[in-house]
């Protein structure tokens, strides 16, 4: 009997802790809805503010994520592959039922600053509010004006397909406690105006670290590794803090040209998720892109490049098969004496960032998916070979490129990498 009474204080304390825990969880996860508004008529929105918003939205890459292939601009539906499942982007046109037509400016601002939708539900941090929180009120108002002047599109968002328990949005509130730091950064008075503008764009509106950083096990950017490189939709987003010391070093001018045109004669062509980003940056003032390059090149760090190793017999056999494939499928454009190599500033394989990379991922993706026809930019095109070449052939071609155009170590487990990428592997 006495032992039962000894346990009573412990049980009471445990119940009290549980009650407090539930109360804290409720406090963290509950957010009030913001009253809906009638979608404003475009004629009531300041045209000059909306024009400035076009620049903000382009710098924020909003159309890149909120436009599905073949879909209407800003109507959402783009699948985003993550290690936790697939997310689908939302409709941000001013449709009242399926878009943000009933969102007030305050609701829009809360979403960008804190990741909370108008009705109070948590937004997943694939929406980069951890970066957008650094936007100014003026930029948020301009972006809102631009979006509210778009044509409304009826497009219901596809349900996300996430693993348990991450399909419960309320858990994001706890994630925010750890990783969301709201508010703008004060200008660094020691640095130039261009440097401060570049930091504002890279770290805030442009949210470069969202793709170019490794993620920790719960999907946040790894502390201390911002801009050190990541993987997005199966493509490598390379480190932005080692550009100046890469195998083929970048200059600020190289980076500005690449970001504005999607092409660099020394480093290659933009593809995958980066291609539409460069298309957006082509529409913004040159000074903005130059500021981004100024800031990024102030962050450059040394790189310890590993020594090359020799090829094995299996590697040499793969390379020999790849040579035959290259001469039949690739040499007409990429061969040293091909007409395409003598036209303009077409990138060379010997200095290609993809071929020089430590992983074959981007070379494989480029061969599988190619670069879609750009119309006005016929030089920025490559056909996809994913349907005409099997995994072994893609692997042999990758091994050939690595051995022929570099003096670096052969890539390891290339056939496995091809198979994983074909399956949609989104691991980082």
């Amino acid at each position: 009997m006495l032992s039962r009474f000894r346990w009573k204080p412990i049980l009471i304390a445990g119940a009290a802790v549980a009650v407090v825990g539930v109360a804290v969880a409720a406090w963290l996860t509950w957010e009030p809805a913001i009253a809906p508004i009638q979608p404003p008529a475009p004629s009531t929105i300041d045209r000059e503010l909306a024009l400035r918003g076009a620049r903000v939205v382009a710098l924020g890459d909003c159309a890149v994520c909120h436009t599905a292939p073949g879909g209407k601009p800003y109507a959402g539906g783009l699948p985003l592959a993550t290690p936790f499942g697939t997310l689908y982007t939302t409709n941000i046109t001013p449709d009242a039922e399926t878009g943000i037509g009933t969102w007030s400016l305050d609701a829009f601002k809360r979403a960008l600053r804190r990741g909370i939708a108008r009705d109070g539900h948590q937004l997943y941090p694939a929406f980069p509010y951890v970066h957008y929180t650094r936007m100014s009120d003026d930029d948020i108002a301009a972006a809102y004006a631009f979006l509210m002047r778009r044509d409304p599109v009826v497009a219901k968002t596809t349900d996300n397909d996430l693993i348990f328990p991450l399909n419960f949005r309320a858990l994001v509130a706890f994630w925010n406690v750890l990783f969301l730091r709201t508010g703008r950064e004060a200008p660094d008075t020691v640095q130039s105006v261009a440097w401060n503008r570049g930091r504002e764009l890279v770290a805030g509106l442009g949210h470069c670290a969202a793709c170019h950083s490794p993620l920790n096990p719960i999907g946040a950017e790894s502390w201390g590794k911002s801009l050190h490189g990541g993987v997005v939709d199966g493509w490598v987003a390379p480190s932005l803090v080692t550009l100046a010391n890469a195998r083929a070093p970048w200059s600020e001018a190289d980076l500005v040209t690449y970001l504005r045109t999607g092409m660099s004669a020394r480093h290659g062509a933009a593809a995958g998720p980066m291609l539409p980003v460069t298309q957006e940056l082509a529409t913004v003032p040159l000074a903005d892109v130059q500021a981004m390059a100024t800031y990024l090149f102030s962050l450059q760090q040394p790189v310890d490049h590993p020594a090359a190793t020799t090829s094995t017999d299996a590697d040499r056999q793969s390379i020999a098969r790849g040579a035959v494939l290259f001469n039949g499928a690739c040499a007409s454009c990429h061969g040293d004496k091909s007409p395409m190599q003598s036209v303009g500033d077409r990138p060379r394989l010997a200095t290609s960032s993809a071929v020089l990379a430590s992983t074959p991922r981007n070379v494989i993706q480029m061969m599988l998916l190619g670069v879609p026809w750009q119309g006005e930019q016929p030089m920025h095109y490559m056909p996809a070979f994913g349907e005409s070449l099997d995994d072994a052939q893609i692997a042999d071609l990758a091994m050939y490129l690595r051995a022929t155009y570099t003096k670096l170590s052969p890539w390891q487990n290339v056939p496995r990498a091809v198979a994983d990428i074909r399956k949609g592997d989104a691991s980082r």
Side-chain angles (χ1 to χ4, degrees), residues 65 77-89 126 160-162 210-211 215 231-235 273 361 365 421 423-428:
C65 285
L78 180 72
L80 300 178
T82 80
F84 315 106
T86 303
L87 290 163
Y88 293 87
T89 58
N160 297 319
D161 182 17
L162 297 176
C211 292
L215 297 187
V231 175
V232 179
D233 285 344
W235 292 78
R361 189 181 283 268
Q365 289 281 36
I421 289 170
K423 290 187 297 185
D425 172 34
S427 65
R428 291 179 176 256

Side-chain angles (χ1 to χ4, degrees), residues 116-179:
I116 308 298
R118 186 201 63 76
D119 64 4
H121 77 254
Q122 305 279 341
L123 299 173
Y124 285 109
F127 174 62
Y129 57 86
V130 293
H131 296 282
Y132 288 160
T133 188
R134 300 176 182 180
M135 291 173 62
S136 69
D137 287 346
D138 288 346
D139 278 352
I140 292 174
Y144 178 78
F146 172 82
L147 292 172
M148 286 301 183
R149 282 183 66 99
R150 302 305 91 206
D151 291 332
V153 177
V154 177
K156 188 178 183 297
T157 302
T158 303
D159 291 337
N160 297 319
D161 182 17
L162 297 176
I163 61 174
F164 177 85
L166 298 180
N167 51 339
F168 289 98
R169 287 183 180 270
L171 294 179
V172 178
F174 297 93
W175 189 96
N176 287 339
V177 171
L178 295 174
F179 303 111

